[in-house]
Amino acid sequence: MNIPTREKNDWKKYLIVFLITLFLFATAFYLSNNLNNKKLEEIRKIEDTISIDILSLETQFDLFEQLSCENVTDSILSKELGELASRIEYGEKNFDTLSKELIGLKKYYSLLQIKDFLLMQKARERCDLNIESIIYFYGREDCEDCRKQGYVLTDVRKDYLELRVYSFDYFLDVSAIDALKSIYKIDEKNLPALIINGKTYDGFKNREDIETIMPELVKIREEREAREKALLEAEVEAKNDTSNAKEIKDENTENAPKQ
Amino acid sequence: MYVQIFFLITFFEKRKTIQYRKEKIKLERYPTITVAVPCWNEQNTVEKTLNSLLELDYPKDKITIIAVDDGSTDGTFEVLKKFEKYPNIKILKKENGGKHTAVNYAIENSDSEFISCLDADSFVEPETLKRMMTYFLKDENTMAVAPSILIHNPKTMTQTLQQVEYNWAVFMKKVLGMLGGIYVTPGPFSIFRRKVFKDLGLFRKAHNTEDMEIAFRMQKHHYKIDQCNDAYVYTTGPKNIVALYKQRLRWIYGFAMNTFDYRKILFKKEYGFFSLVSVPAGFVSMVAVPYILGLLMFQIVKGIFKLIEKYQTVGFDFGFNFTLPNFDTFFLNTNAYVFTGILLYILVMSTIIIGKRMITGKYGFDLRIIYFMVIFSFIAPFWVIRAIYNAVFAKKTAWR
């Protein structure tokens, strides 16, 4: 019995398998690239929308003096733009390849926020709107207090529908943000920073702190709740009245002489 | 991925040579064989093991069973003594020295043409031996044949998952056999020509994985190892995760240490697929697995910390907010590694299905494959990391 040497290596097969593997990897990269491009397109579309929104805000601003207060109850910072904020946040964390586009988007978004803030300030003064606002500056991801401040603001906003929070990345390179920073003397070392009623508050502020700083917010909320309650009671009453009236009517019909 | 594709291509290339025998077969010649049964505290299972060997469809004068009590402290020897009445069963007793010493003791006390070993927690089917023997009769260069190992009567969740894994292993081993890349001749019923031990020496302790070391040694000397997919041996899989963890720790530690011991034959074309792909790929997966798990764990821990941080800051939100978030394709991860990951899962899944076909003769998909892939990809890294730690810091693993 002989001990043979092994079968010869089938180099052709090694190569074919290598090529197939390469092809599969290439397909995966192609697919990924393709889908990322689609996302990019989506982002560009949003950018276009924002440009229009900014323009429209500017126009609203110009027309403001001539507008009646009824028409300025809400600005254009719609729910859709709230979704946009979550896209930016998610994208920043997950897509390295899209980061450039996302920064552009974030700049647009920040500008829009500033415009909205200014318009709301003006509207509040002139039309006595029940709207309060907080400007919030946050730092990099390693800023633990900034993360916490984010949680608090989201939480507070859930309860106070009249509150608008405009959040800005301190390190975003936009001259309008730089202007805000210098007006309100925001320093990198004191992040997170809140601007409430024109005053700067450095460092983390919890829910109670915010409620103390903004007593009017609590008042507005209480008023709204009272209004809502009254409305609800009125509705219930109206409903009861209708059903009573119906019962009386039914009774009358039953008692009516049949022809 | 490269390895999985290599395996699939080899399978499709040679699938017609794969046999699925259901009927009884007759051999042209019945060579003599000795089956060593090393026992150490196996009083509960050894009786069934020996009975299954007695029921093998093979001439009784050609098969000798040597049960070696390796210094058991329970009633194993008493159970073994009941089998003394059979003329082809020999019962030996020695001081405890480890499994390899018990098998070597049996080899030294035998003179048959072939040697096999059956762990005392494993059982064979009557046709198993004949089917495996055909490989030796067909090719005189075949020096060892490994069977398909299945989990005996899986009861627990852990055992059921192992059953799926063993189906996968059947496919892998078969293809590895075709490519000359087998790196383990498992304890349950691998058969060797006596020449292997005469030329290369007996089993060694080899980090408690003597069945792996002998395969490495055979590969070093270009001794052919094949796999018989339709010869079934049933083994009792670890019942719970802790026992499974210990078993795998021993296997992977053994693999790492044996690879280190035989590092000189790696990446040399004269040692073929074994040296170029089979062992290096095993090693690469050993490194890749902890890396991937590390990333995953990091993400999970980070997420938990953020949740705790959020809870500490604003408390839990018990609002009745049951609306599901809108499905938005924007938030789907479209990185290339996600697609390659999915592709890899599909490849593994197809090999498991083919493995099942090699055993049952039928293609079929069942949900257990998914459970297996999800659960094992999560728990396997733990024993891999521990095994690497042990190997690096020279900590030895225990048998049980």
Side-chain angles (χ1 to χ4, degrees):
Chain A
M1 198 172 356
N2 305 318
I3 298 296
T5 48
R6 286 168 187 278
E7 278 179 36
K8 280 193 177 160
N9 289 315
D10 185 355
W11 296 118
K12 207 171 127 193
K13 192 167 164 188
Y14 280 86
L15 184 72
I16 291 172
V17 174
F18 177 73
L19 290 177
I20 295 175
T21 316
L22 207 67
F23 171 75
L24 289 176
F25 269 104
T27 314
F29 274 97
Y30 173 77
L31 217 72
S32 155
N33 207 20
N34 217 348
L35 290 171
N36 279 347
N37 277 343
K38 273 200 179 140
K39 285 183 187 174
L40 217 72
E41 252 170 52
E42 207 178 312
I43 289 177
R44 284 196 189 119
K45 256 187 213 161
I46 302 172
E47 263 180 26
D48 289 346
T49 323
I50 295 184
S51 314
I52 297 170
D53 287 349
I54 289 181
L55 250 173
S56 123
L57 250 182
E58 275 171 359
T59 319
Q60 272 197 54
F61 221 89
D62 294 340
L63 290 172
F64 193 68
E65 299 301 328
Q66 292 153 43
L67 277 176
S68 76
C69 277
E70 277 165 30
N71 298 329
V72 279
T73 46
D74 207 350
S75 85
I76 59 154
L77 260 192
S78 60
K79 201 181 148 214
E80 264 171 40
L81 285 164
E83 274 174 26
L84 170 64
S86 66
R87 269 160 207 247
I88 296 173
E89 196 194 345
Y90 178 83
E92 271 189 320
K93 279 182 196 154
N94 295 286
F95 314 129
D96 297 338
T97 44
L98 301 182
S99 57
K100 241 187 185 173
E101 298 287 331
L102 284 165
I103 288 174
L105 193 61
K106 209 168 160 183
K107 285 181 178 173
Y108 266 112
Y109 184 66
S110 303
L111 275 178
L112 189 64
Q113 285 195 104
I114 297 176
K115 286 264 174 199
D116 190 80
F117 169 70
L118 293 175
L119 188 69
M120 279 300 114
Q121 289 292 97
K122 225 171 179 182
R124 216 174 78 153
E125 281 164 25
R126 213 192 97 184
C127 305
D128 200 23
L129 285 183
N130 276 342
I131 285 177
E132 296 295 324
S133 57
I134 295 179
I135 294 181
Y136 160 49
F137 274 96
Y138 60 90
R140 297 204 172 85
E141 214 192 323
D142 57 357
C143 167
E144 196 188 318
D145 278 349
C146 300
R147 279 202 308 273
K148 285 187 183 171
Q149 193 65 70
Y151 299 140
V152 170
L153 289 174
T154 315
D155 189 51
V156 171
R157 238 178 50 179
K158 252 186 246 160
D159 290 342
Y160 296 100
L161 305 177
E162 301 78 7
L163 178 68
R164 277 170 185 274
V165 176
Y166 301 99
S167 47
F168 297 98
D169 181 348
Y170 182 89
F171 298 99
L172 198 67
D173 184 22
V174 176
S175 50
I177 294 184
D178 290 340
L180 269 184
K181 284 194 278 194
S182 75
I183 294 170
Y184 294 105
K185 296 190 178 56
I186 311 283
D187 189 35
E188 185 184 337
K189 286 175 208 147
N190 302 329
L191 295 177
L194 301 179
I195 302 167
I196 302 168
N197 294 331
K199 207 178 154 200
T200 308
Y201 297 86
D202 290 331
F204 173 73
K205 297 280 170 287
N206 63 22
R207 191 189 175 101
E208 287 73 35
D209 295 336
I210 293 175
E211 282 170 346
T212 320
I213 297 170
M214 307 176 82
E216 61 280 9
L217 197 62
V218 185
K219 209 176 120 196
I220 295 172
R221 179 184 155 187
E222 281 167 2
E223 280 171 12
R224 171 173 48 86
E225 281 173 354
R227 262 200 319 278
E228 279 169 1
K229 204 179 157 194
L231 208 71
L232 202 73
E233 279 170 2
E235 253 176 48
V236 172
E237 215 165 281
K239 218 175 175 183
N240 285 342
D241 284 349
T242 328
S243 54
N244 284 343
K246 203 180 166 217
E247 268 170 35
I248 293 166
K249 197 182 164 195
D250 287 346
E251 264 172 41
N252 288 342
T253 326
E254 264 173 40
N255 297 336
K258 288 183 182 101
Q259 285 180 340
Chain B
M1 180 111 90
Y2 182 82
V3 177
Q4 289 292 330
I5 295 169
F6 211 117
F7 281 16
L8 277 172
I9 286 188
T10 309
F11 168 76
F12 284 115
E13 195 182 25
K14 299 192 175 170
R15 68 182 190 281
K16 286 196 175 134
T17 62
I18 301 171
Q19 291 176 301
Y20 307 99
R21 291 165 288 194
K22 287 245 162 69
E23 67 289 353
K24 279 191 164 195
I25 52 165
K26 269 191 177 169
L27 301 181
E28 53 189 75
R29 179 171 86 82
Y30 289 87
T32 53
I33 179 168
T34 299
V35 183
V37 182
C39 317
W40 183 70
N41 294 348
E42 315 271 7
Q43 64 175 11
N44 296 327
T45 52
V46 70
E47 193 167 347
K48 204 170 169 190
T49 305
L50 291 175
N51 280 328
S52 82
L53 285 171
L54 284 170
E55 280 161 24
L56 276 172
D57 187 17
Y58 207 80
K60 298 287 174 258
D61 57 330
K62 300 284 184 184
I63 177 168
T64 311
I65 298 155
I66 303 183
V68 183
D69 178 11
D70 188 25
S72 295
T73 50
D74 65 352
T76 303
F77 192 65
E78 283 64 44
V79 178
L80 291 181
K81 281 193 110 182
K82 287 197 276 181
F83 286 87
E84 271 180 335
K85 59 184 178 202
Y86 295 99
N88 62 339
I89 293 190
K90 268 197 219 173
I91 310 293
L92 303 176
K93 189 176 170 71
K94 64 181 269 300
E95 260 181 43
N96 181 260
K99 185 184 157 188
H100 70 290
T101 60
V103 180
N104 288 343
Y105 194 52
I107 297 172
E108 284 163 351
N109 281 283
S110 70
D111 54 3
S112 57
E113 207 179 320
F114 289 89
I115 307 281
S116 179
C117 159
L118 185 66
D119 293 341
D121 59 352
S122 308
F123 324 102
V124 285
E125 277 197 349
E127 287 294 301
T128 303
L129 178 54
K130 281 190 298 179
R131 287 182 188 167
M132 289 173 79
M133 212 43 105
T134 57
Y135 282 67
F136 290 109
L137 297 177
K138 199 168 59 191
D139 182 356
E140 64 169 15
N141 292 320
T142 300
M143 288 292 138
V145 174
S148 285
I149 301 169
L150 306 174
I151 293 289
H152 173 69
N153 198 10
K155 280 180 191 144
T156 65
M157 173 78 169
T158 315
Q159 288 173 326
T160 310
L161 292 177
Q162 287 174 76
Q163 196 183 25
V164 179
E165 187 197 16
Y166 278 57
N167 288 349
W168 187 28
V170 167
F171 169 84
M172 303 287 271
K173 294 254 178 71
K174 183 72 202 172
V175 180
L176 276 176
M178 291 168 171
L179 292 163
I182 290 182
Y183 54 79
V184 58
T185 41
F189 217 61
S190 291
I191 302 178
F192 302 84
R193 282 187 197 270
R194 176 172 289 278
K195 187 177 166 48
V196 173
F197 302 107
K198 223 166 84 185
D199 294 355
L200 309 179
L202 296 170
F203 283 107
R204 295 175 190 159
K205 188 168 193 302
H207 322 287
N208 284 334
T209 44
E210 71 298 315
D211 51 358
M212 205 179 272
E213 192 276 337
I214 191 80
F216 271 72
R217 213 185 321 161
M218 286 175 75
Q219 292 287 4
K220 188 184 172 186
H221 292 88
H222 308 293
Y223 280 35
K224 185 178 171 187
I225 307 172
D226 214 332
Q227 205 261 2
C228 176
N229 58 290
D230 59 356
Y232 310 122
V233 175
Y234 296 89
T235 189
T236 317
K239 283 195 179 73
N240 53 48
I241 291 284
V242 178
L244 183 72
Y245 171 81
K246 280 188 184 160
Q247 185 199 49
R248 295 314 158 95
L249 194 59
R250 182 170 62 79
W251 286 3
I252 294 169
Y253 174 80
F255 177 72
M257 297 309 279
N258 282 313
T259 308
F260 183 74
D261 294 346
Y262 283 88
R263 61 193 178 279
K264 282 187 183 153
I265 63 165
L266 289 183
F267 303 111
K268 300 224 166 100
K269 62 175 193 281
E270 62 264 36
Y271 296 104
F273 192 81
F274 172 81
S275 146
L276 295 174
V277 181
S278 170
V279 176
F283 227 84
V284 166
S285 66
M286 267 179 68
V287 178
V289 164
Y291 174 74
I292 293 166
L293 177 90
L295 275 183
L296 183 72
M297 289 306 272
F298 178 72
Q299 291 297 336
I300 292 173
V301 171
K302 205 168 122 184
I304 292 172
F305 268 105
K306 277 202 170 167
L307 263 182
I308 294 172
E309 193 179 70
K310 191 176 171 187
Y311 169 70
Q312 283 175 340
T313 320
V314 291
F316 275 123
D317 180 13
F318 289 113
F320 291 97
N321 192 3
F322 287 125
T323 48
L324 282 169
N326 289 336
F327 180 74
D328 189 337
T329 48
F330 187 88
F331 296 108
L332 283 182
N333 195 336
T334 48
N335 279 338
Y337 71 82
V338 175
F339 293 111
T340 40
I342 293 171
L343 218 60
L344 193 63
Y345 266 81
I346 294 172
L347 285 174
V348 170
M349 211 182 280
S350 9
T351 51
I352 294 176
I353 292 171
I354 297 172
K356 202 176 169 197
R357 143 108 168 119
M358 282 182 175
I359 301 161
T360 60
K362 282 181 202 158
Y363 285 110
F365 177 81
D366 70 75
L367 274 177
R368 283 177 300 183
I369 298 179
I370 305 272
Y371 298 149
F372 161 71
M373 288 174 69
V374 172
I375 296 175
F376 262 57
S377 29
F378 193 74
I379 57 174
F382 287 97
W383 53 67
V384 172
I385 291 171
R386 186 60 207 254
I388 292 175
Y389 171 84
N390 284 2
V392 171
F393 295 99
K395 290 208 159 84
K396 291 193 166 61
T397 50
W399 257 99
R400 290 179 196 177

